[in-house]
Amino acid sequence: MWTRPRNRELLVAAGLFAIGVLIYGLELDLVFGDEQPTTTTARLAVLAVACLGTALRRAAPVVALVIATAAALVDLTRGLSLPVIMAFVDVLFVVSLDGPRRLHRVLIGVVAVATLGLTLTVAVLGDWRESFYAGLQVFSLVCVPVWWATNIRQHRENAEQVARIAELDRRAAVASERTRMARDLHDVIAGHLSAIAIQSEAVLSMQADSETVRTVLKSVRENSVRSLAEMRTMIDVLRADDPVDEPAIARLADADLLVDSARAGGLAVECALDDVDGLPAAVDLAAYRILQEALTNALKHGSSASVRVERQVRRLVVVVRNTARDTAAEGSGTGLVSMAERAHAVGGTFSAGRDGRDWLVRAELPL
């Protein structure tokens, strides 16, 4: 029950009042000022008002600050006592820490002006030494709680801002990982499984020729096994405690398999492939995926294609040109987006579009 905020504030106020009663009973209450003839009942009444401000310090910070300040001013006329100071400083600190932002700014200005004004007033009306001590006392009782609460409040706001930035970074990382997973899944499905579908359709539509059928079915089997292997590798990467950036099963050195698969599906392919050993892993994989997607599109929309992979000093150039039917749809564009993302991810460039009656795909990847 006492863990509720309202009950907790009442408990703090009751504790301060009990400590005040003990201090008054031991006659240790006077902090500064001349002791005035005041009954204990009057002192306890002022303390009770100050503790009322403590009970309201979070529920109604402005009201609590007014009540505690009024109690402190009344007590000051009889010599400021320690229990009232404790209640006033507690209210001032909590209101500065958890109160509204506008109230906090106003409170800083009021405290600064009041401290400076009191110090100058005492200096003009009395001795400069008295003004120094008066300013020091006001600073310790009023400025220090506000200053301390302001520092804590600033650190808390900074921590909240850092937490918000971290959450935004986490969401960006999750979105980036989802995009990468979607790209990988598209490459596997659109590459191998599309080839399987096209080759199966070719087998069903051709005349019975055992050698041709065996060739096509062999390519279907290779695509199926390779697709399953890549899917299994991607799943292992997602399950790993310290995953790598990309599955490492696809390499440009296996480009002949892509060409053979396209030929088995009925696409006439001319291939010119430079030595691609020792390529950076990211560039190697990006080039393989781009070539895979380009040949898949050529198999869907054309009858012949030419592939050129040229390794230059500072870049790797992948060019795929295929005949494009005039009535062929260019699809949803997901494959083109995936190829462009692959190229841009390694700092390269990508372009795709019609070149006369052909469709041209070109990617330049830095080495």
Side-chain angles (χ1 to χ4, degrees), residues 119 122-135:
T119 303
V122 175
V124 172
L125 299 180
D127 186 73
W128 66 270
R129 295 180 182 86
E130 294 180 359
S131 68
F132 173 77
Y133 289 120

Side-chain angles (χ1 to χ4, degrees), residues 202-273:
V203 171
L204 294 174
S205 61
M206 65 176 52
Q207 298 294 329
D209 184 345
S210 59
E211 188 62 29
T212 303
V213 171
R214 286 178 59 84
T215 300
V216 175
L217 292 181
K218 180 181 178 182
S219 179
V220 168
R221 180 183 180 280
E222 290 177 351
N223 278 303
S224 302
V225 172
R226 196 165 184 83
S227 176
L228 290 174
E230 291 191 28
M231 292 286 288
R232 188 178 299 111
T233 301
M234 292 171 58
I235 293 174
D236 291 340
V237 168
L238 295 176
R239 288 178 174 176
D241 294 333
D242 187 17
V244 296
D245 290 337
E246 295 282 359
I249 195 172
R251 289 290 179 260
L252 195 57
D254 299 328
D256 291 340
L257 298 178
L258 297 177
V259 173
D260 292 342
S261 176
R263 286 171 177 167
L267 185 69
V269 183
E270 297 180 1
C271 182
L273 183 66

Side-chain angles (χ1 to χ4, degrees), residues 44-200:
L44 293 178
V46 175
L47 178 60
V49 173
C51 291
L52 176 62
T54 300
L56 298 175
R57 58 186 182 172
R58 283 192 170 87
V62 176
V63 175
L65 188 60
V66 171
I67 292 175
T69 303
L73 292 176
V74 172
D75 193 63
L76 182 61
T77 61
R78 296 170 173 81
L80 192 60
S81 60
L82 181 60
V84 175
I85 290 177
M86 293 169 55
F88 173 74
V89 170
D90 176 73
V91 171
L92 187 62
F93 175 79
V94 173
V95 170
S96 300
L97 180 62
D98 297 327
R101 185 182 298 272
R102 179 177 299 179
L103 176 61
H104 177 252
R105 289 197 296 263
V106 171
L107 194 58
I108 292 176
V110 170
V111 167
V113 171
T115 302
L116 183 60
L118 180 61
T119 303
L120 294 178
T121 301
V122 175
V124 172
L125 299 180
D127 186 73
W128 66 270
R129 295 180 182 86
E130 294 180 359
S131 68
F132 173 77
Y133 289 120
L136 186 61
Q137 289 173 342
V138 174
F139 178 82
S140 62
L141 296 178
V142 178
C143 294
V144 170
V146 175
W147 177 39
W148 186 13
T150 300
N151 288 336
I152 297 176
R153 185 172 184 141
Q154 184 64 45
H155 284 298
R156 187 168 61 185
E157 291 176 354
N158 291 341
E160 292 174 355
Q161 185 176 8
V162 170
R164 287 195 296 269
I165 293 174
E167 178 63 18
L168 292 176
D169 290 341
R170 187 193 67 81
R171 292 182 181 180
V174 170
S176 177
E177 184 65 14
R178 285 182 174 180
T179 301
R180 188 181 71 83
M181 291 172 60
R183 184 175 62 235
D184 289 338
L185 289 173
H186 172 270
D187 290 341
V188 172
I189 295 173
H192 295 300
L193 300 187
S194 294
I196 290 172
I198 294 173
Q199 291 165 359
S200 302

